[in-house]
């Protein structure tokens, strides 16, 4: 009798909670459906699943990623099903879009960020306000912050036509300039005497990203992917960032004593919080944003702050609004967006820089297309603060390389592949799977 009583005391509240929870969810569902009906919403085309819960869809994504062709898979789906589509896997509905009209709605105030930058609302605005002064052009307009790092980059290039993989060198170059700008002290990973600690960080950083993107794809079941290797990689990255933050703060303290004062994100952040973990997380956010190799983050998403709509993509003709319930994610693929024929012409997948001189290019014929059809630095309130810094850095580096090496050509053993068909390595960012192996010569042919 006592056991029954104890059982009842334990179970009844649980059942009550489940009943209330399910009822609340049902009422929210009915309210959202009424909202969608009121706004004329219709569902977009849905990718067909062959197995329950869309397990085959997840298997397809992981297989394509293992074969370095994930972007090709996404391109195929958008070509096959339209610019806005939905899929269901692991029981969760997900919407994907590359329609500029939808991107305009997503990247404004209707959605919140759920990608690399995870802060929202007041916390996000506060962090952005801390960072904004760091990217005032006066901090880098004399190019001094780039000069020594380009010199270090050039020191790794033979110059006699021997093949060299530029991709890892560009990664380290970006890392050096970014840490110099944000922390006041570069890690100098391109110096010939780079420490084992720096090499270990680069390897751990890559491993951690590989795990994170796989966990991201599993949604609420992310914890199924992990293990000791992932934990060790995260610990190594955390330790390294903690160390360079400490070094930067020591340098700032010395400069302050010497009467040298200039704005640094690390300094402002350390004054804003004494929490070591919070400091590290903010710095990692910035490093992740800066280390984008080829192109910017190719896939990102937004989560609806409230039940809302996408303006287009639903119904048989793809022109009706699409219902997005509160808390649902909508992914957008910049990689596919930048290859849309209706924006860039029938040769949209070709590398043809001259297209930007063509005033008749479809992208320029529509205001929404022009503003939201090309997003190398994102858009809306979350547009990248460092875009001017990145463009100046890239321009200066390219000019210096061309001045030093007038002759640049592919290595003979590097097979030429059509743009977009090359192997592509995907983590949180994107890189060429087989590297960028070139021959650079100081003497003209």
């Amino acid at each position: 009798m006592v056991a029954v009583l104890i059982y009842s005391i334990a179970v009844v509240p649980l059942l009550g909670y489940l009943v209330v929870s399910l009822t609340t969810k049902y009422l929210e569902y009915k309210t959202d459906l009424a909202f969608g009906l009121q706004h004329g919403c219709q569902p977009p085309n849905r990718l067909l699943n062959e197995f329950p819960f869309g397990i085959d869809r997840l298997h397809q994504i992981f297989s394509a990623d293992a074969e370095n062709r994930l972007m090709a898979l996404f391109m195929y789906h958008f070509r096959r099903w339209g610019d806005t589509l939905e899929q269901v896997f692991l029981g969760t509905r997900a919407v994907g879009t590359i329609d500029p009209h939808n991107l305009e709605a997503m990247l404004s105030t209707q959605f919140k960020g759920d990608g690399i930058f995870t802060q929202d609302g007041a916390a996000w605005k506060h962090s952005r306000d801390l960072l904004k002064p760091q990217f005032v052009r006066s901090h880098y307009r004399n190019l001094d912050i780039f000069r020594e790092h380009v010199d270090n980059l050039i020191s790794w290039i033979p110059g006699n036509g021997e093949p060299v993989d530029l991709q890892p060198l560009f990664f380290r170059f970006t890392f050096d300039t970014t840490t110099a700008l944000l922390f006041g002290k570069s890690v100098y990973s391109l110096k010939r005497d780079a420490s084992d600690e720096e090499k270990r960080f680069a390897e751990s950083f890559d491993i951690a990203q590989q795990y994170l993107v796989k966990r991201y794809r599993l949604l609420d079941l992310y914890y199924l992917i992990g293990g000791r290797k992932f934990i060790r990689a995260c610990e190594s990255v955390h330790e390294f960032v903690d160390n360079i933050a400490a070094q930067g703060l020591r340098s700032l303290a010395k400069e302050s004593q010497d009467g040298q004062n200039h704005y640094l994100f690390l300094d402002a952040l350390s004054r804003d919080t004494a929490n070591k973990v919070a400091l590290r997380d903010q710095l990692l956010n910035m490093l992740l944003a800066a280390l984008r190799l080829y192109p910017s983050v190719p896939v990102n998403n937004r989560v609806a702050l409230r039940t809302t709509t996408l303006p287009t993509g639903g119904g048989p003709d793809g022109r009706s609004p699409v219902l997005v319930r509160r808390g649902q994610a909508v992914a957008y693929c910049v990689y596919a967006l930048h290859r849309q024929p209706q924006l860039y012409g029938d040769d949209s997948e070709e590398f043809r820089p001259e297209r930007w001189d063509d005033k008749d290019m479809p992208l320029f014929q529509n205001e929404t297309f022009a503003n939201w059809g090309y997003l190398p630095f994102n858009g809306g309130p979350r547009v990248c603060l460092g875009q001017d810094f990145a463009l100046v850095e890239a321009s200066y580096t390219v000019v210096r390389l061309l001045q030093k090496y007038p002759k640049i050509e592919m290595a003979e053993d590097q097979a030429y592949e059509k743009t977009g068909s090359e192997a592509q390595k995907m983590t949180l960012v994107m890189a060429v799977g087989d590297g960028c192996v070139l021959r650079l010569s100081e003497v003209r042919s």
Side-chain angles (χ1 to χ4, degrees):
M1 184 65 181
V2 174
V4 173
L5 180 61
I6 294 174
Y7 179 78
S8 300
I9 292 174
V11 171
V12 170
L14 178 60
L15 289 176
Y17 169 79
L18 290 175
V19 169
V20 171
S21 178
L22 291 173
T23 302
T24 301
K25 288 183 179 296
Y26 175 75
L27 292 175
E28 288 178 350
Y29 174 73
K30 296 292 288 185
T31 301
D32 290 345
L33 287 185
F35 177 88
L37 186 63
Q38 177 185 352
H39 289 81
C41 295
Q42 295 191 53
N45 288 329
R46 173 179 289 188
L47 274 64
L48 302 178
N49 293 334
E50 297 181 4
F51 297 100
F53 304 107
I55 295 176
D56 56 312
R57 184 71 51 221
L58 201 60
H59 177 264
Q60 185 183 52
I61 291 173
F62 276 105
S63 296
D65 185 38
E67 297 169 5
N68 294 322
R69 57 177 185 84
L70 187 59
M71 289 299 102
L73 174 65
F74 291 169
M75 289 279 291
Y76 166 78
H77 286 325
F78 283 117
R79 292 279 196 272
R80 171 69 176 82
W81 299 100
D83 292 347
T84 302
L85 52 83
E86 73 173 358
Q87 56 184 323
V88 176
F89 57 90
L90 301 180
T92 300
R93 173 180 178 256
V95 175
T97 188
I98 54 173
D99 189 301
H101 298 88
N102 289 338
L103 294 175
E104 181 178 17
M106 290 172 60
L107 297 178
S108 59
T109 57
Q110 287 181 249
F111 292 75
K112 66 179 180 180
D114 191 34
I116 280 181
F117 295 106
T118 56
Q119 286 187 320
D120 293 292
W124 163 75
K125 186 178 184 304
H126 180 63
S127 293
R128 190 175 177 90
D129 288 343
L130 284 176
L131 183 61
K132 189 179 295 185
Q134 184 67 77
F135 286 101
V136 174
R137 182 173 289 192
S138 60
H139 287 307
Y140 51 86
R141 66 184 175 189
N142 63 5
L143 305 178
D144 285 345
I145 194 171
F146 307 120
R147 190 169 286 110
E148 67 170 326
H149 302 298
V150 173
D151 290 340
N152 291 334
L153 170 67
I154 288 174
S155 73
W156 285 91
I157 300 174
N160 59 359
E162 291 183 15
V164 58
D165 187 356
L166 293 180
Q167 184 163 264
L169 297 181
F170 284 146
F171 176 90
R172 291 159 64 184
F173 168 71
T174 305
F175 188 45
D176 287 353
T177 56
T178 302
T179 51
L181 179 73
L182 297 177
F183 308 151
K185 177 179 174 59
S186 175
V187 296
Y188 290 112
S189 65
L190 276 173
K191 281 195 171 180
R192 288 285 179 175
D193 56 351
S195 68
D196 291 338
E197 180 186 17
E198 289 159 350
K199 297 174 183 176
R200 185 166 59 252
F201 167 79
E203 180 180 351
S204 298
F205 189 81
D206 191 51
I207 292 171
Q209 286 190 94
Q210 292 176 26
Y211 273 89
L212 284 172
V213 76
K214 290 177 181 178
R215 287 160 68 93
Y216 171 77
R217 292 172 190 149
L218 285 183
L219 303 175
D220 292 339
L221 299 178
Y222 68 91
Y223 55 83
L224 294 178
I225 291 182
R228 187 58 193 161
K229 185 176 181 181
F230 172 60
I231 294 173
R232 282 199 301 266
C234 290
E235 290 173 345
S236 177
V237 170
H238 290 170
E239 180 182 0
F240 186 83
V241 173
D242 288 342
N243 287 340
I244 60 174
Q247 292 172 21
L249 290 173
R250 285 195 295 269
S251 296
L252 286 170
K254 185 177 184 303
E255 287 182 6
S256 180
Q257 291 175 357
D258 296 340
Q260 303 177 41
N261 290 305
H262 59 281
Y263 187 91
L264 277 175
F265 176 63
L266 174 60
D267 186 31
L269 192 59
S270 64
R271 296 178 191 276
D272 186 65
T273 177
N275 187 308
K276 181 179 177 181
V277 174
L279 181 65
R280 176 213 298 153
D281 289 346
Q282 289 279 15
L283 296 178
L284 274 173
N285 269 338
M286 289 312 305
L287 288 177
L288 283 167
L291 302 179
R292 296 176 176 190
L293 307 179
Y294 169 79
S296 60
V297 178
V299 181
N300 210 329
N301 70 11
R302 290 291 183 267
V303 177
L305 287 167
R306 59 184 181 278
T307 296
T308 185
T309 65
L310 293 177
T312 187
D317 61 0
R319 297 183 178 180
S320 298
V322 175
L323 175 67
V324 181
R325 301 182 63 203
R326 180 173 65 88
Q328 284 190 330
V330 180
Y332 59 101
C333 181
V334 177
Y335 182 96
L337 171 72
H338 291 173
R339 287 162 172 75
Q340 286 206 76
Q342 59 266 42
L343 297 179
Y344 296 97
D346 294 335
D347 63 347
S348 59
E349 295 187 50
E350 299 292 332
F351 177 70
R352 189 172 65 83
E354 309 86 57
R355 76 175 71 250
W356 294 103
D357 293 328
D358 183 3
K359 296 180 180 179
D360 295 326
M361 186 166 67
L363 182 75
F364 300 142
Q365 309 310 309
N366 178 293
E367 184 177 359
T368 300
F369 286 2
N371 291 334
W372 301 96
Y374 181 62
L375 300 174
F377 294 101
N378 220 336
R382 289 174 179 268
V383 66
C384 177
L385 286 173
Q387 60 176 310
D388 184 70
F389 177 84
L391 292 172
V392 171
E393 176 183 47
S395 300
Y396 175 72
T397 304
V398 168
V399 170
R400 285 286 309 277
L401 288 176
L402 290 175
Q403 288 176 336
K404 181 72 172 177
Y405 309 107
K407 182 180 179 182
I408 302 177
E409 57 189 351
M410 291 184 62
E412 291 83 352
D413 56 350
Q414 281 287 108
Y416 175 79
E417 295 180 274
K418 181 181 176 181
T419 303
S421 64
E422 74 281 354
Q424 298 168 346
K425 182 180 178 181
M426 287 286 302
T427 55
L428 292 179
V429 291
M430 187 175 180
V432 183
D434 297 324
C436 179
V437 182
L438 299 176
R439 295 181 182 274
L440 295 87
S441 303
E442 299 185 38
V443 181
R444 293 182 185 273
S445 58

